[in-house]
Amino acid sequence: MLLFAILDYRKPSWKYVAGGIVVRLLLFYSGHIQYFIYSVIFEWLTMAIYDFASAEKGQKIKSFGRYFLRLFLSYLVVLALSLPLLLPMWNAMRISLERNAPLSYELFSADSYEPIQLFLGFFFPFIKANSTTQAYYRNLLNLSHIGYVGVGIVVCGAIQFIVRIRNTGKRALTSARPDYVAFSIAAFIALIWSSSVLFNRLIYLIPILNRFRWSFKLAFYLDFFLILIAALVFSSFL
């Protein structure tokens, strides 16, 4: 989804629009609506940040509207082609005793990650549950691990960026590549969504999203964006 969205942004083409439609439909028809909605949110969020960071000064609003009109039209096609499954799913949710209303906050907020648990998972993929982490065992203590090489490259990239800020000040921020900016912010949002109680209190106020439980699943999106960042950092070394 994100690949075709970025390709279409960089070089508008209906073949990229069609490719994005196909991938979105495949994800939707895989049957897990929670991951589909999360993916749609992160696609729009990432592309909005990418667009804002890419557009020239004074052209941000114009650029934003022109691209997102194409993205919106592609989603209308996805909506139309997903109706054979979407309508039965909506009806099943409407008549379900458990899902015809928002979850209780206790159930909604259950099984989020502890920040320290995520941090340890980066560096200790074979960590075992103990008396402290036993309650979180089914969350997978090492879910945030993206490989020692990936973690090492992300750390090197962070150090490199800090050095640039010290040497060039604000120019390091304003001159940052749009994909770095977009992926980094998306990764941070996935991090706090999967682990922050305060952030999830805000999410609970949003219709539909307050019917989804187990926010530790957002760690998959954290991993995804960290891997993208690692790939970008590695390519800059070549």
Side-chain angles (χ1 to χ4, degrees):
M1 292 169 59
L2 195 55
L3 172 62
F4 283 111
I6 293 177
L7 289 174
D8 185 50
Y9 182 91
R10 291 178 174 176
K11 189 177 181 181
S13 171
W14 288 110
K15 68 179 181 181
Y16 297 138
V17 174
I21 290 173
V22 170
V23 173
R24 295 177 193 116
L25 286 172
L26 288 173
L27 178 59
F28 178 79
Y29 278 101
S30 68
H32 205 304
I33 191 66
Q34 184 174 2
Y35 282 118
F36 176 78
I37 292 179
Y38 286 158
S39 298
V40 170
I41 291 172
F42 276 102
E43 180 184 10
W44 280 81
L45 174 68
T46 304
M47 291 311 302
I49 300 169
Y50 186 93
D51 176 84
F52 187 83
S54 300
E56 298 178 2
K57 187 176 182 180
Q59 296 294 318
K60 296 185 185 300
I61 296 178
K62 181 179 179 181
S63 173
F64 182 90
R66 184 173 57 247
Y67 170 73
F68 281 93
L69 176 60
R70 292 166 58 86
L71 188 59
F72 176 74
L73 292 175
S74 72
Y75 266 96
L76 288 181
V77 176
V78 172
L79 175 62
L81 295 178
S82 64
L83 288 178
L85 180 59
L86 180 61
L87 292 178
M89 289 175 67
W90 181 265
N91 184 62
M93 182 186 73
R94 187 175 56 83
I95 64 177
S96 171
L97 292 176
E98 186 179 82
R99 296 302 176 90
N100 66 353
L103 299 172
S104 66
Y105 182 74
E106 289 74 19
L107 185 58
F108 169 82
S109 60
D111 287 339
S112 62
Y113 259 111
E114 294 289 341
I116 186 63
Q117 180 184 342
L118 274 173
F119 179 78
L120 290 175
F122 286 133
F123 304 100
F124 303 102
F126 304 110
I127 190 172
K128 300 295 184 181
N130 54 34
S131 58
T132 303
T133 59
Q134 184 66 44
Y136 305 101
Y137 182 69
R138 70 195 194 92
N139 296 10
L140 301 178
L141 298 178
N142 57 359
L143 188 59
S144 57
H145 187 71
I146 59 172
Y148 288 119
V149 174
V151 171
I153 293 175
V154 169
V155 171
C156 289
I159 294 173
Q160 182 186 51
F161 185 64
I162 293 172
V163 171
R164 285 185 60 194
I165 292 178
R166 293 187 61 181
N167 293 337
T168 63
K170 291 184 178 180
R171 196 172 69 181
L173 297 174
T174 57
S175 63
R177 285 177 48 175
D179 40 14
Y180 276 110
V181 175
F183 298 158
S184 297
I185 294 177
F188 175 74
I189 292 175
L191 170 64
I192 61 176
W193 196 342
S194 64
S195 60
S196 170
V197 175
L198 179 59
F199 187 81
N200 275 284
R201 284 187 180 276
L202 298 176
I203 294 296
Y204 186 70
L205 301 176
I206 302 175
I208 302 299
L209 294 184
N210 55 17
R211 299 172 189 240
F212 297 150
R213 56 184 176 176
W214 301 341
S215 60
F216 76 88
K217 297 176 180 178
L218 274 299
F220 286 117
Y221 295 88
L222 171 63
D223 294 348
F224 173 73
F225 286 109
L226 287 178
I227 290 171
L228 291 181
I229 293 170
L232 291 175
V233 173
F234 181 75
S235 66
S236 70
F237 293 151
L238 299 179

